[in-house]
Amino acid sequence: MSDVTPMVKAEQVYKSFGALEVLKGIDLEVARGEVMCLIGASGSGKSTFLRLINHLEKLDAGRLSVDGELVGYREQSNKLYELKDKEICSQRAQIGMVFQRFNLFPHLSVRDNITIGPVKVKGQSVANARDRAAALLERVGLSEKIDAFPSQLSGGQQQRVAIARALAMDPKLMLFDEPTSALDPELVGEVLDVMRKLADEGMTMVVVTHEMGFAREVGDSLVFMDDGQIMEKGNPREILANPQNERLRSFLSKVL
């Protein structure tokens, strides 16, 4: 796709769970190489939006595309048809996701947690996947933990392994769903440092976060969501210094 094609484009995205309307017509674009931070109170729809981007949830209306390609659907005669599981998996393999809870396989070593995706999903040779795992662990500062198991790691170390695991699939886009909120405060910095490096390297990232310092320093754009809608978006430094929306002012007074 051309450089002007947005990496993520959401058009009038709606999502409900039963009678609860969680997203109410989201319009949003994320450019290539952009770091977009989503902020807002719990229940505002941030995590649901993130999960829609890689079709972990299905949208009810609107359209979502990544790199110019509809996510989870194909369009025919102005109607959307859901893709087959294999096609959805192929799309999802290009989108890395790091969750609040690290979701590592407890019975696998760090190395095997990182190599399982490239070998099983992308058909890489075990030798190549192992070399890449070693390089990625060096990148996130955990070379010495390559043979450890998740239970032997701190929360911050587990989250850095989860980031390495996502990067092993060579994604074009990284999604982070509150990656530091389950961590002890002293471990937050080591995860944010890895994310800063990724941003410096030009990775396109959408980050749901409560870390306002990270949003201010690293984010290219900031989106404040409330009650399933985008209330304010723009330059993080400007928005955090001078919020225009009353709900955003109230939210920031509690978290800053």
Side-chain angles (χ1 to χ4, degrees), residues 110-112 114-116 118-119 124-140 142-143 146-147 164 167-170:
V110 165
R111 177 194 275 118
D112 291 343
I114 296 171
T115 57
I116 189 169
V119 171
Q124 273 184 24
S125 73
V126 172
N128 282 352
R130 286 180 152 228
D131 287 347
R132 178 103 168 101
L136 285 168
L137 283 172
E138 187 171 343
R139 193 164 156 192
V140 299
L142 287 173
S143 294
I146 194 162
D147 293 314
L167 292 174
M169 298 294 284
D170 289 318

Side-chain angles (χ1 to χ4, degrees), residues 45-86:
K46 311 179 302 295
S47 294
T48 298
F49 179 65
L50 218 60
R51 291 171 69 82
L52 286 171
I53 294 175
N54 66 357
H55 207 61
L56 288 174
E57 303 286 356
K58 300 175 188 181
L59 48 73
D60 296 328
R63 52 188 53 221
L64 245 174
S65 51
V66 170
D67 202 14
E69 192 178 323
L70 279 175
V71 174
Y73 299 91
R74 62 185 168 81
E75 188 170 18
Q76 203 171 330
S77 309
N78 282 334
K79 283 188 75 174
L80 295 182
Y81 298 90
E82 193 168 15
L83 297 175
K84 294 186 174 70
D85 285 348
K86 191 174 178 186

Side-chain angles (χ1 to χ4, degrees), residues 171-188:
K172 55 176 77 168
L173 168 67
M174 285 284 283
L175 308 175
F176 292 88
D177 190 7
E178 300 199 15
T180 58
S181 63
L183 299 178
D184 293 332
E186 69 271 20
L187 301 177
V188 168

